[in-house]
């Protein structure tokens, strides 16, 4: 049985993420979507919210499960018995950012990274842009799975209330 991990912060999950995970699910027996913390980013949604939203968005894909990643991705892939990490690429800039991580993960755990070219129709969709558009009241529901837009707007309202 071949297992792949699709890691990311998924803050929030977008239609681009869903596209890459669905295609990974056609290549591997099982895909584990690993919801990770990115120390370089300040998350809008809690880890539990991100896990729940990704689980709902991918519930119709039988060989996909969603888990939180606590710690190093290399340790997570070893724990779940993964044979590969799958990452989506929208552009050369994504490749430039992902290559050092792929090499480090291979160094730490011997896992290979498989790059999947994202759907060109979704190349402009990034979680950070989705949050920025939502922050200013712009429409995001056509960029994210059902229910995610509402969760983002609710999280932004909570953040505004705390400020």
């Amino acid at each position: 049985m071949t297992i792949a991990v699709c890691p990311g912060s998924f803050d929030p999950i977008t239609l681009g993420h869903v596209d890459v995970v669905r295609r990974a699910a056609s290549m591997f027996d099982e895909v584990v979507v690993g919801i990770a913390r990115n120390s370089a980013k300040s998350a809008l949604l809690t880890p539990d919210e991100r896990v729940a939203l990704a689980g709902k968005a991918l519930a119709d894909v039988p060989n996909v499960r969603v888990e939180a990643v606590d710690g190093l991705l290399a340790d997570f892939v070893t724990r779940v018995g993964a044979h590969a990490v799958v990452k989506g690429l929208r552009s050369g800039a994504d490749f430039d950012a992902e290559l050092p991580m792929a090499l480090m993960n291979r160094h730490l755990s011997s896992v290979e990274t498989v790059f999947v070219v994202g759907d060109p129709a979704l190349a402009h969709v990034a979680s950070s842009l989705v949050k920025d558009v939502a922050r200013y009241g712009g429409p995001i529901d056509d960029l994210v799975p059902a229910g995610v837009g509402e969760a983002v707007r609710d999280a932004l309202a909570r953040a505004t209330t705390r400020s």
Side-chain angles (χ1 to χ4, degrees), residues 105-130:
N105 286 323
R106 185 171 66 194
H107 172 79
L108 294 172
S109 67
S110 300
V111 71
E112 293 292 342
T113 298
V114 175
F115 294 114
V116 175
V117 177
D119 182 340
L122 300 170
H124 63 291
V125 181
S127 295
S128 58
L129 291 175
V130 167

Side-chain angles (χ1 to χ4, degrees), residues 92-101:
D94 283 351
F95 178 77
D96 290 343
E98 295 295 342
L99 180 61
M101 290 185 279

Side-chain angles (χ1 to χ4, degrees), residues 40-148:
K41 297 178 182 176
S42 178
L44 174 66
L45 299 166
T46 69
D48 288 343
E49 287 172 318
R50 290 182 277 145
V51 168
L53 290 168
K56 182 179 174 192
L58 296 160
D60 66 321
V61 188
N63 61 328
V64 171
R65 63 187 162 101
V66 180
E67 290 189 28
V69 176
D70 201 19
L72 288 175
L73 179 60
D75 294 338
F76 182 78
V77 297
T78 299
R79 183 175 65 75
V80 300
H83 300 85
V85 170
V86 175
K87 297 293 290 194
L89 298 177
R90 292 169 297 199
S91 68
D94 283 351
F95 178 77
D96 290 343
E98 295 295 342
L99 180 61
M101 290 185 279
L103 294 171
M104 182 58 75
N105 286 323
R106 185 171 66 194
H107 172 79
L108 294 172
S109 67
S110 300
V111 71
E112 293 292 342
T113 298
V114 175
F115 294 114
V116 175
V117 177
D119 182 340
L122 300 170
H124 63 291
V125 181
S127 295
S128 58
L129 291 175
V130 167
K131 288 184 287 192
D132 284 345
V133 169
R135 242 179 223 107
Y136 294 101
I140 61 167
D141 292 311
D142 60 338
L143 306 172
V144 295
V148 174

Side-chain angles (χ1 to χ4, degrees), residues 1-20:
M1 180 167 176
T2 58
I3 301 171
V5 171
C6 282
S9 55
F10 300 97
D11 185 40
I13 190 166
T14 68
L15 295 179
H17 293 130
V18 171
D19 169 61
V20 169

